[in-house]
Amino acid sequence: MASFVTANLDHEIKGGFVVFKLDTKLRFESAEVNHKWLFQIEFMEADPVKDDPLSKIPDSVGFGEADARFIRHYFVPSQEEVELSFEEEFPAHLVDTEMGKEEVYANLQVLPLEAPPGFVPAKTRTNITHVDV
């Protein structure tokens, strides 16, 4: 069964952009190695009432695309323990949703693709990184 060992989110401000840096470590069973997996990221802004999804695509452009807020990467693990790192760049105005710092985290999933029956998806949530845009 695939599982997350670690999932850390950080960020950097570059000009008018926020670059989110995601580092993860995953563990797979030996039977799950050498099969194709989907790594899915959903960035969220923590809110006392209801957390808000963040998207790299403005709502006006992504209108009608139900999954526009999900970022997808495909990979094939070559060993039982795998470290993956991603950088995702967002225009700062799409991250700046309220007054003050933004509390951003990511929901993560790894889903088996083209795999034998019995492979189980894994999911986790990262830490919160405080973005001052």
Side-chain angles (χ1 to χ4, degrees), residues 44-53 97-98 103 105 125:
M44 302 291 291
E45 199 276 316
D47 187 276
V49 177
K50 182 178 182 264
D51 293 356
D52 301 313
T97 62
E98 60 188 31
E103 300 83 19
Y105 66 91
R125 176 182 155 165

Side-chain angles (χ1 to χ4, degrees), residues 3-4 23 35 39 47 54 62 101 104-105 119 129:
S3 62
F4 282 89
D23 294 308
H35 289 278
F39 190 98
D47 187 276
L54 297 178
K101 292 184 179 180
V104 179
Y105 66 91
F119 283 21
T129 185

Side-chain angles (χ1 to χ4, degrees), residues 9 22 39-45 51-55 66-72 88 90 104-109 124-126:
L9 182 64
L22 177 63
F39 190 98
Q40 188 165 267
I41 307 165
E42 178 186 29
F43 287 95
M44 302 291 291
E45 199 276 316
D51 293 356
D52 301 313
L54 297 178
S55 178
D67 295 336
R69 70 180 186 267
F70 293 103
I71 298 166
R72 295 176 176 89
E88 302 295 342
F90 281 67
V104 179
Y105 66 91
N107 291 320
L108 309 176
Q109 286 186 308
T124 194
R125 176 182 155 165
T126 68

Side-chain angles (χ1 to χ4, degrees), residues 28-42:
F28 295 91
E29 298 292 326
S30 58
E32 296 171 324
V33 173
N34 295 319
H35 289 278
K36 192 173 185 179
W37 290 78
L38 166 64
F39 190 98
Q40 188 165 267
I41 307 165
E42 178 186 29

